[in-house]
Amino acid sequence: LKCLKESTLEIGKYPSQILNLSEEITFNMNCSKALQGGNLKQYKQELQGKLEKYTSSQTNNHLVHLKLKALILDLIHQIEVVDLLISNNVRDPNDWLWFKQLKFWLKSQTKLAKIAMCQGDFDYTYEY
């Protein structure tokens, strides 16, 4: 996923599914770090800043507008997950409230996307 390596997400450059997958992988990685480092409140502020950026974006391009909507919906869910973790004082990545979440990541050896929930994990096959 080339968009994972970019410092800013170029919404018009990639298909919506790739953008959302990239953001889910980034969320899993960053939320896991924040969880273990005790920085969930700070991470929530970063997510809220991103939400502000997306919701204040102006575009006349209908396709970009639809992509933004999808990213915003996922971002709202991510903020809700972080809120849940904060309100329950979760710090352990094995805590049920984090463990039960749907997670996406890139397998380091193969660079293939993976998806997992609880103890089940699968290759992400880009089915839509």
Side-chain angles (χ1 to χ4, degrees):
L1 289 173
K2 292 179 185 177
C3 56
L4 279 172
K5 297 176 183 173
E6 296 179 2
S7 58
T8 56
L9 195 61
E10 293 187 47
I11 294 172
K13 188 175 177 181
Y14 299 102
S16 186
Q17 187 175 8
I18 298 300
L19 293 169
N20 285 62
L21 177 61
S22 173
E23 288 293 277
E24 289 292 347
I25 290 169
T26 301
F27 172 73
N28 179 45
M29 193 170 50
N30 292 341
C31 192
S32 293
K33 287 179 189 174
L35 178 68
Q36 292 174 352
N39 301 319
L40 283 172
K41 289 181 181 179
Q42 179 183 341
Y43 184 54
K44 179 184 174 185
Q45 289 177 340
E46 291 174 28
L47 292 174
Q48 288 174 320
K50 187 185 285 190
L51 181 61
E52 174 66 29
K53 177 183 169 188
Y54 287 170
T55 56
S56 65
S57 293
Q58 299 291 320
T59 182
N60 292 326
N61 184 316
H62 183 65
L63 185 56
V64 169
H65 183 73
L66 291 173
K67 291 176 184 183
L68 277 168
K69 279 184 176 181
L71 290 168
I72 290 167
L73 285 173
D74 282 350
L75 191 51
I76 290 169
H77 172 70
Q78 292 166 357
I79 292 169
E80 289 176 348
V81 169
V82 173
D83 276 338
L84 176 72
L85 299 174
I86 291 170
S87 66
N88 287 279
N89 202 30
V90 174
R91 296 189 184 275
D92 181 357
N94 294 316
D95 188 290
W96 174 247
L97 293 175
W98 175 243
F99 186 68
K100 72 177 183 172
Q101 300 299 322
L102 189 62
K103 298 177 194 75
F104 299 80
W105 74 95
L106 273 186
K107 198 167 182 178
S108 58
Q109 305 92 319
T110 61
K111 302 293 185 206
L112 294 175
K114 301 286 283 184
I115 184 170
M117 180 182 264
C118 298
Q119 293 179 338
D121 69 86
F122 306 92
D123 291 338
Y124 185 81
T125 57
Y126 300 91
E127 294 173 7
Y128 211 64

